[in-house]
Amino acid sequence: MKTGEWDREKLRTSILTLASSADRTLLGFCAGSPESALEALKSWIPSLGLPKGLLMGLDLGGQPVDTSSWTGAYIKYNTGGATTFEDIRASKIGFASLWKPGDALIEEYAGDYRGVYFTPELGDDVFRQYGVLPEDLWLND
């Protein structure tokens, strides 16, 4: 999905406004290949001023995962995470909450959607999810 320059700037401004107000931001990248998913991740994160963490899912037991047969890739990104034992207990999901802010997970994706899901949590208990936004929103400058 491509947008015109006027639309692109308006969309960027809206996303930046929401991201700067968010307590936590989740992003979901649905792409046609691992390479395009990574390109989107690498453009969105610094453009929004979000933390960069670990990318998991490209190795299994220290051995690289062969992604050459993947027909799509999904990256789940999260600025939240539990970093203390108090946070782990409060999350009620145990050690699965050990993700650090900025960590991401890539996996094979067989869906038809392409683009980015943007979910800012503003601390008011209202669920907001915007998508499917252009993967290339922060490219072509």
Side-chain angles (χ1 to χ4, degrees):
M1 175 176 168
K2 301 269 184 191
T3 56
E5 286 308 311
W6 182 85
D7 291 336
R8 180 179 296 272
E9 286 308 312
K10 190 172 183 177
L11 186 55
R12 284 177 175 175
T13 300
S14 299
I15 291 169
L16 284 169
T17 300
L18 286 168
S20 68
S21 300
D23 295 335
R24 182 169 86 144
T25 300
L26 298 110
L27 296 169
F29 299 88
C30 303
S33 70
E35 295 79 14
S36 60
L38 290 169
E39 181 180 42
L41 175 75
K42 289 177 182 180
S43 69
W44 274 72
I45 300 310
S47 295
L48 295 180
L50 299 176
K52 179 182 174 186
L54 297 175
L55 176 64
M56 297 167 270
L58 289 177
D59 72 88
L60 185 59
Q63 297 300 313
V65 171
D66 179 10
T67 61
S68 62
S69 64
W70 288 14
T71 57
Y74 177 77
I75 296 178
K76 177 183 177 182
Y77 170 88
N78 189 342
T79 63
T83 57
T84 68
F85 284 113
E86 290 80 22
D87 290 340
I88 293 168
R89 281 188 212 99
S91 75
K92 298 184 179 163
I93 58 173
F95 287 102
S97 65
L98 280 177
W99 281 39
K100 304 284 189 262
D103 283 353
L105 172 68
I106 187 170
E107 57 191 1
E108 188 171 10
Y109 172 67
D112 295 327
Y113 294 103
R114 298 291 182 259
V116 180
Y117 287 93
F118 170 59
T119 310
E121 293 182 356
L122 303 179
D124 58 1
D125 294 326
V126 175
F127 179 76
R128 295 172 179 87
Q129 184 172 70
Y130 306 94
V132 180
L133 304 171
E135 292 175 50
D136 69 345
L137 184 63
W138 305 99
L139 299 174
N140 305 323
D141 286 336

